Amino acid sequence: MTWVGASSEPLLPAVGPPPTERSDAARNRARVLEVARGLVAAEGVAGITMDRVATESGVGKGTVFRRFGSRAGLLRALLDDTEREFQGRFLSGPPPLGPGAPPLERLVAFGRERIAVLSTQSELLRASAVPDENHYAVPARRVAALHVATLLRQAEVPGDVPVLAFELLAVLEAILTAPPGARPPIDRLADGWEQLVRSLDRPV
Amino acid sequence: MTWVGASSEPLLPAVGPPPTERSDAARNRARVLEVARGLVAAEGVAGITMDRVATESGVGKGTVFRRFGSRAGLLRALLDDTEREFQGRFLSGPPPLGPGAPPLERLVAFGRERIAVLSTQSELLRASAVPDENHYAVPARRVAALHVATLLRQAEVPGDVPVLAFELLAVLEAILTAPPGARPPIDRLADGWEQLVRSLDRPV
């Protein structure tokens, strides 16, 4: 059986560490991605052009092209970077998302943050010409499924935990598969997530 | 806002009535589809060949080709037929799936049956070369979302009912988007569905 959540393999980062590189190159890369992330947050993916990213990060346009290849390449790098940053926050960041809060509060926070991250990721996926959505979703889902299953066990939610984790992740990932405009607003999705998760915790 | 469940439009069949046709042609069509459905249930989609369907339904092979065009065309017709048959059962069939049972029991039954139907539909989708999965999923989801929202309201589940309906449907539709072998077995998915739905009904 290969579905995620049934496995007991160690929890590894889905997208791996950033490639090793010279420190000035690494700084440039980080600056470009930070600027790109800010533009997406403020204006959506449409706000990103190679010119603008180069100007606002103070990195030469030629360098930006050499490093990322194309606008689609930059968007794919941003997709990976966003995922890695999110994994860092839920695995080792501050509570309630990271360790230290009660497991159920972490699960509520995980879904709320995941919904926000996936609403950005779904826009990046559509714009970055990733050949197959599963290319992104499968490794990202593996880490998320193990995290959700772990929190359900810690919260002592009864039932078939790997299956519940699979089903709860499907709730979050509906954002990736729903066409734009074909889903509820993310704040209402987040409240719905919280209701589902808190319901599971009530005594039978 | 165009997401399904937010709408108050009347509940219409997703795939429409079967086309009008001469009664012997209609009988042949129904016989071919019945045989094809039986083969899928017994052996999966791989069990369907045009030769076999023609022989076992007693309809000439030429007629089967004229009517359905190709094996992929037959599988698409089976996809529509299965959806229409399922809609008939949950809208007007016997309880607990159809009217007459308490709303929460209908919702439990709906998810259990939907999971079984979608595990067949996902196999048909992959084999029938439907150009876009949404081609099937969007109209089918519209009817299902209205049905789930109606039952949640009747069961007096508190909260944002259209959003809960959207999120619960995502649980069922994970079967369509998960690669084969990348999901839990359907009996465990069905038990997980029942736990989620019954949890929502418990007093806060």
Side-chain angles (χ1 to χ4, degrees):
Chain A
M1 186 151 43
T2 60
W3 55 282
V4 178
S7 120
S8 57
E9 41 189 289
L11 189 64
L12 291 172
V15 289
T20 315
E21 50 200 340
R22 289 190 1 256
S23 62
D24 56 339
R27 266 195 307 274
N28 280 348
R29 181 188 158 86
R31 241 158 55 203
V32 166
L33 288 174
E34 192 189 327
V35 164
R37 195 182 305 122
L39 288 171
V40 170
E43 305 176 24
V45 172
I48 294 196
T49 66
M50 296 298 260
D51 267 333
R52 211 172 152 192
V53 166
T55 307
E56 299 197 12
S57 64
V59 174
K61 192 174 167 188
T63 305
V64 175
F65 268 103
R66 268 195 309 281
R67 167 52 61 103
F68 297 102
S70 64
R71 180 173 179 271
L74 172 61
L75 296 181
R76 282 194 292 273
L78 193 55
L79 194 67
D80 277 1
D81 192 62
T82 304
E83 191 63 25
R84 193 183 292 116
E85 191 265 347
F86 177 64
Q87 288 178 12
R89 288 194 289 134
F90 72 74
L91 293 174
S92 57
L97 188 58
L104 200 84
E105 301 309 316
R106 290 187 70 192
L107 193 54
V108 168
F110 175 82
R112 289 191 168 277
E113 296 273 338
R114 188 71 183 143
I115 285 167
V117 168
L118 285 179
S119 73
T120 302
Q121 299 293 63
S122 70
E123 210 191 338
L124 285 170
L125 269 174
R126 277 189 297 276
S128 66
V130 168
D132 174 5
E133 179 184 285
N134 285 326
H135 200 79
Y136 162 71
V138 170
R141 186 181 296 135
R142 181 174 293 276
V143 177
L146 290 170
H147 184 63
V148 168
T150 302
L151 294 178
L152 287 171
R153 280 199 193 90
Q154 289 175 355
E156 299 181 356
V157 168
D160 188 342
V161 162
V163 167
L164 289 175
F166 176 90
E167 295 187 337
L168 288 174
L169 282 176
V171 169
L172 303 178
E173 288 172 5
I175 290 178
L176 283 180
T177 47
R183 58 166 176 78
I186 65 169
D187 56 334
R188 289 172 63 186
L189 285 171
D191 290 344
W193 164 266
E194 178 157 357
Q195 184 178 349
L196 285 175
V197 167
R198 293 204 187 278
S199 298
L200 281 173
D201 189 47
R202 278 185 251 143
V204 185
Chain B
M1 185 150 46
T2 60
W3 55 282
V4 176
S7 119
S8 58
E9 40 188 291
L11 189 65
L12 292 172
V15 288
T20 314
E21 50 200 341
R22 288 191 2 257
S23 63
D24 56 339
R27 266 196 307 274
N28 280 347
R29 182 188 157 86
R31 242 162 48 204
V32 166
L33 288 174
E34 191 188 329
V35 164
R37 193 182 307 121
L39 288 171
V40 170
E43 305 175 24
V45 172
I48 294 196
T49 66
M50 297 297 260
D51 266 331
R52 212 172 150 192
V53 166
T55 307
E56 298 197 13
S57 63
V59 173
K61 192 174 168 187
T63 305
V64 174
F65 268 102
R66 268 196 308 281
R67 166 53 60 104
F68 297 100
S70 64
R71 179 172 181 271
L74 172 62
L75 297 181
R76 282 194 292 273
L78 193 55
L79 194 67
D80 277 0
D81 192 63
T82 304
E83 192 63 26
R84 191 182 294 116
E85 190 265 348
F86 177 65
Q87 287 178 12
R89 287 194 290 134
F90 73 72
L91 293 174
S92 56
L97 187 58
L104 200 83
E105 301 308 316
R106 289 188 69 193
L107 193 53
V108 168
F110 175 82
R112 289 191 167 276
E113 296 271 340
R114 189 71 183 143
I115 285 168
V117 168
L118 286 179
S119 73
T120 301
Q121 298 294 62
S122 69
E123 209 191 340
L124 285 170
L125 270 174
R126 278 190 296 276
S128 67
V130 168
D132 174 5
E133 180 182 285
N134 285 326
H135 200 80
Y136 162 71
V138 170
R141 186 182 296 135
R142 180 173 294 276
V143 177
L146 290 170
H147 184 63
V148 169
T150 301
L151 294 178
L152 287 171
R153 280 199 193 89
Q154 289 175 353
E156 298 180 358
V157 168
D160 188 341
V161 162
V163 167
L164 290 175
F166 176 90
E167 295 187 337
L168 288 174
L169 281 176
V171 169
L172 303 179
E173 288 173 5
I175 290 176
L176 283 181
T177 47
R183 59 166 176 78
I186 66 169
D187 56 334
R188 289 172 63 186
L189 285 171
D191 290 344
W193 164 266
E194 178 157 357
Q195 184 178 350
L196 284 174
V197 167
R198 294 204 186 277
S199 298
L200 281 173
D201 188 49
R202 278 186 250 143
V204 184

